[in-house]
């Protein structure tokens, strides 16, 4: 049968769009797909079989626009200025533009009902899971923390109403604990790493969050102990996380805790491991921490934490990513006259990611731990898939999942799915006004990622041109 082209797209517009698509990417190289790979991204007809032509055109247009670095910079600056404006007309216009572009492309709607429909659709129509992210920024006080907690709990409730295993939930510790307190806790944990005699009376578990190669220079002198009030607020924040974990445990929903920048990451890992000790019992962990492979100390910290958890009988869940704060980390280290905590080259980051993935896959094979491999890199996906196949890890095993952002790396997503692996899309949602600060921050932090969507665009263009050729042949 000829591919369906929605009637609402005039043939003349379709032809112009296809011509534009061709000119945008005519020099793009073929996506890598070794003959012996466990996944194949070369067959675009099979990859995008469930995706309408209109959606492909929309994705290509958005990805092409966002690949233009200067355009992204100008767009981000303009949207940020308009959203901060007191002028109602300008603000409304900015929200309208954002809703029709970045929000539509990267988010699953503005409300819980919208997100639920989107997640159910991805599961039923495409066989993809979702990692639900109710878009919230950092909390500054107790009231904001409690509001954000209510949002996270409602997200878990919504996920529990969806088809079993179709959704998990992610949480930002910076949304349920004030940044200032996370910085204080991180300082004390870094100083403890430098001075093991330091007593931290509030500390409740022994899983290490730092190692000798961590950026300890961020704390240059002995910090003051937490005040009684700070300890009280720390306990309240831990209780907020526990409430989320309890709901996830009751519903058998995985909870993925996001990573942040190094100045607060030790505290975030402390929260994560405290929750894992309490809730990760049995073969399938509920709580997953995040390891950022672009950090020099990432593998050492991960290995230390996993081995310590094993000794305590805790099954540690790890979400492995490359990382998103390279500019911030480099600038901070430079301002302190210290070397960047980030690997000096992208090749070293790739190597670290693949090495960490291999380590966790070995753990999965032995029955200890679980891993979510969050990558847009086709070669890393292929290497991990080949390793999993070599180790005999079942492709329906919930302890191994792959993940990509909604609106990005769809070719890799569908290739992994077609090979039988469990694959999720990272799905932000929420009102435009609420989610936009998050999206703008992500656009700035992931500028390189947006500009490097070359494989995505090449695969989509190839499929659009194939469908055009088939449609023309069908009508002649």
């Amino acid at each position: 049968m000829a591919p369906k082209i929605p009637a609402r797209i005039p043939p003349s517009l379709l032809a112009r769009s296809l011509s534009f698509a061709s000119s945008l990417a005519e020099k793009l190289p073929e996506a890598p797909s070794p003959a012996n790979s466990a996944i194949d991204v070369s067959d675009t007809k099979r990859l995008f079989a469930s995706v309408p032509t209109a959606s492909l055109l929309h994705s290509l247009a958005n990805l092409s626009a966002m690949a233009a670095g200067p355009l992204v910079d100008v767009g981000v600056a303009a949207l940020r200025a308009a959203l901060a404006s007191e002028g109602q007309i300008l603000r409304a216009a900015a929200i309208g533009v954002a809703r029709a572009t970045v929000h539509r492309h990267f988010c699953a709607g503005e409300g819980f009902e919208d997100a639920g429909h989107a997640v159910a659709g991805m599961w039923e129509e495409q066989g993809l899971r979702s990692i639900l992210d109710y878009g919230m920024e950092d909390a500054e006080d107790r009231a904001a923390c409690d509001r954000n907690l209510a949002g996270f709990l409602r997200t878990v409730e919504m996920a529990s109403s969806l088809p079993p295993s179709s959704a998990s939930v992610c949480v930002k510790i910076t949304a349920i604990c004030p940044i200032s307190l996370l910085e204080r806790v991180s300082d004390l944990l870094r100083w403890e790493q430098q001075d093991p005699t330091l007593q931290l009376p509030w500390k409740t578990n022994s899983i290490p969050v730092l190692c000798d190669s961590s950026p300890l220079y961020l704390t240059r002198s002995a910090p003051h102990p937490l005040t009684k009030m700070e300890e009280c607020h720390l306990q309240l924040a831990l209780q907020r996380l526990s409430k989320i974990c309890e709901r996830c445990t009751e519903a058998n929903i995985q909870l993925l805790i996001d990573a942040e920048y190094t100045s607060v990451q030790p505290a975030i890992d402390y929260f994560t491991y405290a929750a894992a000790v309490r809730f990760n019992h049995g073969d399938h962990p509920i709580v997953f921490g995040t390891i950022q492979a672009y950090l020099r100390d990432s593998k050492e910290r991960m290995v230390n934490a996993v081995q310590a958890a094993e000794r305590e009988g805790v099954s540690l869940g790890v979400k492995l990513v490359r990382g998103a704060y390279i500019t911030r980390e480099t600038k901070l280290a430079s301002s302190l006259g210290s070397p960047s905590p980030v690997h000096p080259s992208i090749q070293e980051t790739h190597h670290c990611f693949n090495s960490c993935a291999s380590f966790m896959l070995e753990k999965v094979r032995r029955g200890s731990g679980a891993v979510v491999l969050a990558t847009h890199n086709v070669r890393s996906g292929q290497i991990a898939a080949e390793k999993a196949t070599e180790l005999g890890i079942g492709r329906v095993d919930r302890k191994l999942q792959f993940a990509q952002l909604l609106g990005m790396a769809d070719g890799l997503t569908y290739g992994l799915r077609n090979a039988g692996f469990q694959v999720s899309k990272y799905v932000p949602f929420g009102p435009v006004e609420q989610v936009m600060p998050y999206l703008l921050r992500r656009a700035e932090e992931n500028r390189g990622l947006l500009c490097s969507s070359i494989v995505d665009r090449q695969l989509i263009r190839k499929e659009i041109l194939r469908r055009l050729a088939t449609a023309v042949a069908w009508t002649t």
Side-chain angles (χ1 to χ4, degrees):
M1 296 181 62
K4 290 185 178 180
I5 298 177
R8 64 177 180 274
I9 301 180
S12 59
L13 174 60
L14 177 62
R16 289 198 301 273
S17 299
L18 290 171
S19 176
F20 176 61
S22 179
S23 66
L24 280 172
E26 62 183 358
K27 296 182 179 179
L28 294 178
E30 288 293 320
S33 191
N36 62 347
S37 174
I39 61 172
D40 178 20
V41 297
S42 62
D43 184 354
T44 59
K45 179 180 180 181
R46 186 175 179 224
L47 277 183
F48 298 111
S50 60
V51 184
T53 301
S55 296
L56 290 177
L57 287 167
H58 184 266
S59 294
L60 182 60
N62 279 330
L63 291 174
S64 297
M66 287 180 286
L71 181 61
V72 171
D73 293 339
V74 171
V76 167
L79 282 173
R80 193 180 294 282
L83 290 170
S85 171
E86 295 182 359
Q88 294 299 315
I89 295 178
L90 181 60
R91 182 178 174 82
I95 290 174
V97 170
R99 179 180 287 113
T101 54
V102 290
H103 191 276
R104 177 184 172 189
H105 188 79
F106 292 112
C107 299
E110 297 196 52
F112 288 89
E113 185 175 352
D114 293 338
H117 286 314
V119 170
M122 282 195 289
W123 174 254
E124 294 166 2
E125 299 168 15
Q126 301 177 15
L128 298 176
R129 299 180 177 188
S130 296
I131 301 171
L132 286 163
D133 176 18
Y134 185 47
M136 285 176 282
E137 282 298 280
D138 301 340
E140 296 182 356
D141 53 33
R142 180 174 175 178
C145 290
D146 289 337
R147 286 195 301 271
N148 290 341
L149 170 62
F152 285 130
L153 291 175
R154 190 175 175 192
T155 303
V156 176
E157 180 182 358
M158 185 260 284
S160 68
S161 70
L162 296 169
S165 300
S166 65
S168 54
V169 173
C170 73
V171 63
K172 285 164 53 75
I173 299 300
T174 53
I176 58 173
C177 182
I179 284 283
S180 57
L181 181 54
L182 292 173
E183 290 173 339
R184 290 275 287 123
V185 171
S186 295
D187 276 334
L188 286 161
L189 290 169
R190 275 189 291 267
W191 199 253
E192 181 195 36
Q193 181 69 24
Q194 299 175 68
D195 178 11
T197 65
L198 179 65
Q199 297 297 310
L200 301 177
W202 43 265
K203 191 176 177 184
T204 60
N205 74 81
S206 59
I207 297 180
V209 300
L210 292 159
C211 61
D212 290 340
S213 62
S214 295
L216 304 178
Y217 57 79
L218 293 173
T219 304
R220 300 196 165 192
S221 60
H224 295 295
L226 295 184
T227 65
K228 291 296 183 184
M229 183 62 71
E230 286 174 325
E231 286 195 26
C232 177
H233 284 299
L234 176 60
Q235 293 307 312
L236 287 172
L238 287 165
Q239 288 170 17
R240 292 185 191 104
L241 179 58
S242 290
K243 286 181 182 178
I244 300 170
C245 292
E246 286 167 0
R247 298 284 181 87
C248 287
T249 300
E250 292 167 1
N252 193 29
I253 291 172
Q254 293 174 337
L255 180 68
L256 284 65
I257 298 177
D258 279 349
E260 301 285 347
Y261 26 91
T262 54
S263 61
V264 296
Q265 191 59 42
I268 292 171
D269 286 339
Y270 172 74
F271 272 74
T272 301
Y273 299 150
V277 167
R278 181 175 174 186
F279 294 99
N280 285 7
H281 299 288
D283 292 336
H284 296 280
I286 292 292
V287 180
F288 284 67
T290 299
I291 294 292
Q292 301 178 99
Y294 75 160
L295 296 175
R296 295 170 185 260
D297 69 339
S298 56
K299 185 172 183 182
E300 184 180 1
R301 283 191 296 108
M302 183 190 73
V303 170
N304 290 347
V306 170
Q307 292 177 344
E310 285 178 336
R311 290 192 293 270
E312 296 190 25
V314 175
S315 180
L316 205 60
V318 171
K319 180 181 72 171
L320 184 62
V321 303
R322 276 174 169 76
Y325 301 94
I326 186 168
T327 301
R328 180 185 183 125
E329 299 291 5
T330 302
K331 285 182 177 179
L332 177 58
S334 177
S335 71
L336 297 173
S338 300
S340 172
V342 176
H343 287 297
S345 70
I346 187 61
Q347 290 74 23
E348 288 171 274
T349 296
H350 291 333
H351 174 76
C352 184
F353 183 96
N354 296 336
S355 178
C356 289
S358 179
F359 175 85
M360 286 306 303
L361 288 171
E362 292 281 359
K363 291 297 179 182
V364 169
R365 183 182 69 83
R366 296 190 179 101
S368 65
V371 66
V372 176
L373 299 176
T375 181
H376 291 183
N377 184 281
V378 173
R379 188 58 193 137
S380 286
Q382 290 169 333
I383 290 171
E386 291 161 11
K387 178 75 173 181
T389 301
E390 173 190 320
L391 293 173
I393 298 173
R395 299 190 179 188
V396 296
D397 193 333
R398 196 181 175 198
K399 292 191 208 177
L400 167 61
Q401 297 180 55
F402 292 86
Q404 290 81 43
L405 292 172
L406 182 67
M408 297 288 287
D410 287 346
L412 177 58
T413 297
Y414 297 135
L416 288 162
R417 177 206 61 187
N418 291 346
F421 290 101
Q422 305 296 303
V423 190
S424 294
K425 279 295 192 182
Y426 189 92
V427 181
F429 71 99
V432 176
E433 301 94 321
Q434 178 177 308
V435 177
M436 277 315 298
Y438 163 86
L439 288 175
L440 291 174
R441 183 166 60 87
R442 286 299 184 193
E444 291 172 329
E445 291 160 357
N446 292 290
R447 188 173 180 275
L449 177 62
L450 294 173
C451 293
S452 64
S453 60
I454 187 169
V455 173
D456 296 11
R457 288 176 281 132
Q458 187 272 333
L459 291 171
I460 294 172
R461 170 184 171 270
K462 179 180 177 182
E463 174 57 13
I464 289 173
L465 294 178
R466 186 200 66 78
R467 291 185 186 187
L468 175 62
T470 302
V472 170
W474 184 264
T475 57
T476 57

